[in-house]
Amino acid sequence: MPLWNIYHPVDAYTAEEKQEMAKRITDMYYVLPRFYVGVLFHEQPKDSFFMGGQKRDDFVRIRLDHFARHMSSDAERTTNWLKRADEAIAPFVRDRGYHYELHIGETPRELWLIDGIHPPRANTAAEQRWKSENQPSPFGPEEG
């Protein structure tokens, strides 16, 4: 599962803009079941966000956690994911003049459950079923 937590100033985004940003983010993960992708928006009230001890109301902080897939090389991390993530959010952050920070954390697969089920391994029959049905379901060892 990729889980994006977006911390932003109050009223930075309308409901429609949040929906569009979530869609752009979800579309990046075309190899995964869509329901894996979570995007949470966290409004930060004025006088509640500080950087270097100074109040900031022009800053967006994005933390994304990867569970379903891990990046295998530094090139993949810097060239592919950070660049793609930056491009996906640019219209909502950089292009609006916000200062921002983006960070990716990777959690071991073994420490991840969905509805009490360990998700299937990548590119297995069970994962393909989860992708086509867009929901988790039990599977046997021969599937995933």
Side-chain angles (χ1 to χ4, degrees):
M1 157 182 289
L3 176 62
W4 288 57
N5 283 281
I6 302 171
Y7 301 88
H8 60 86
V10 172
D11 296 328
Y13 306 113
T14 66
E16 294 79 16
E17 290 167 337
K18 289 177 183 177
Q19 178 69 55
E20 179 59 27
M21 191 185 311
K23 182 185 179 316
R24 288 175 64 98
I25 290 167
T26 301
D27 288 348
M28 289 175 40
Y29 296 94
Y30 56 87
V31 300
L32 298 176
R34 290 182 74 78
F35 75 89
Y36 276 18
V37 184
V39 180
L40 300 172
F41 292 90
H42 306 276
E43 287 191 333
Q44 301 304 301
K46 195 172 186 117
D47 300 328
S48 295
F49 195 93
F50 292 78
M51 299 277 305
Q54 301 295 314
K55 179 179 67 163
R56 296 292 298 265
D57 59 2
D58 63 345
F59 195 83
V60 176
R61 174 69 169 89
I62 302 170
R63 177 193 164 91
L64 64 113
D65 295 298
H66 281 178
F67 301 82
R69 300 285 196 284
H70 292 156
M71 294 169 269
S72 59
S73 69
D74 287 341
E76 185 177 9
R77 286 179 187 91
T78 57
T79 304
N80 293 340
W81 271 105
L82 286 175
K83 183 178 178 184
R84 288 176 62 196
D86 193 55
E87 288 171 359
I89 63 168
F92 306 96
V93 183
R94 183 180 56 230
D95 295 353
R96 293 180 182 204
Y98 286 113
H99 297 279
Y100 65 102
E101 191 171 300
L102 172 68
H103 142 216
I104 302 172
E106 294 182 321
T107 298
R109 245 186 113 65
E110 298 78 22
L111 300 177
W112 175 39
L113 295 173
I114 297 179
D115 292 343
I117 303 169
H118 281 284
R121 290 183 319 276
N123 305 313
T124 60
E127 186 186 61
Q128 289 306 310
R129 188 175 77 245
W130 283 31
K131 187 175 180 180
S132 69
E133 294 174 357
N134 201 31
Q135 66 182 5
S137 59
F139 59 92
E142 70 285 350
E143 292 180 283

